[in-house]
Amino acid sequence: MNNKTLRGMISEALSKVEEVDIDQAEKFIAEGYRVLDVREPGEYANGTIQGALNIPRGLLEVAADIEFEGANPLLRDGRNDNWLVFCQTGGRSALATYTLQQMGFESVVNVHGGFSTWSQAGKRVIQPS
């Protein structure tokens, strides 16, 4: 039996997804990429990237599922949109990006370093309402 560790799962996900730094992420946002924040609600409430949709990593599959009645239409129906995915440091979002690819999302990109790198670099942060 092959027991995977979280670190191993994140490494595997990173090997299968596209990842950009925060400067490239900022350019992608300017080009119209949608932004998905997979952090927990408490993290999101403390600040996020303008226009981000918050769906915690633990609810991602439910929210994105094409057949599940309780899915979030903002995500579920956005399979053909370009998405930037971030969490606090990049691990959960790598897993989320890989999961979304497996669920049929064509253009999903992980933000390397996540929100902590974004905010430490002085990029624009908003307080969600």
Side-chain angles (χ1 to χ4, degrees):
M1 186 166 146
N2 182 7
N3 292 326
K4 291 185 176 184
T5 63
L6 176 60
R7 185 175 299 200
M9 291 174 72
I10 291 170
S11 292
E12 179 182 350
L14 285 170
S15 75
K16 298 181 186 297
V17 301
E18 181 181 352
E19 189 172 53
V20 295
D21 65 23
I22 55 170
D23 292 328
Q24 187 64 47
E26 196 171 43
K27 289 177 186 159
F28 280 5
I29 292 168
E31 293 169 10
Y33 271 67
R34 296 179 66 188
V35 181
L36 179 63
D37 181 342
V38 298
R39 296 175 304 152
E40 294 299 309
E43 294 172 293
Y44 173 76
N46 288 326
T48 191
I49 297 173
Q50 176 76 43
L53 172 64
N54 178 230
I55 298 178
R57 171 66 191 96
L59 301 175
L60 186 69
E61 291 85 352
V62 168
D65 193 289
I66 198 99
E67 297 176 356
F68 183 66
E69 284 182 27
N72 184 321
L74 295 173
L75 183 62
R76 178 197 66 210
D77 300 339
R79 303 187 126 51
N80 299 320
D81 296 339
N82 297 319
W83 287 94
L84 276 174
V85 185
F86 74 94
C87 64
Q88 193 64 30
T89 59
R92 285 174 288 175
S93 58
L95 295 169
T97 301
Y98 185 44
T99 296
L100 289 170
Q101 282 180 349
Q102 292 173 308
M103 292 183 81
F105 285 72
E106 308 242 340
S107 177
V108 283
V109 179
N110 187 47
V111 178
H112 178 77
F115 186 73
S116 63
T117 301
W118 178 275
S119 57
Q120 286 168 8
K123 303 284 186 192
R124 183 158 185 253
V125 172
I126 62 130
Q127 290 302 125
S129 51

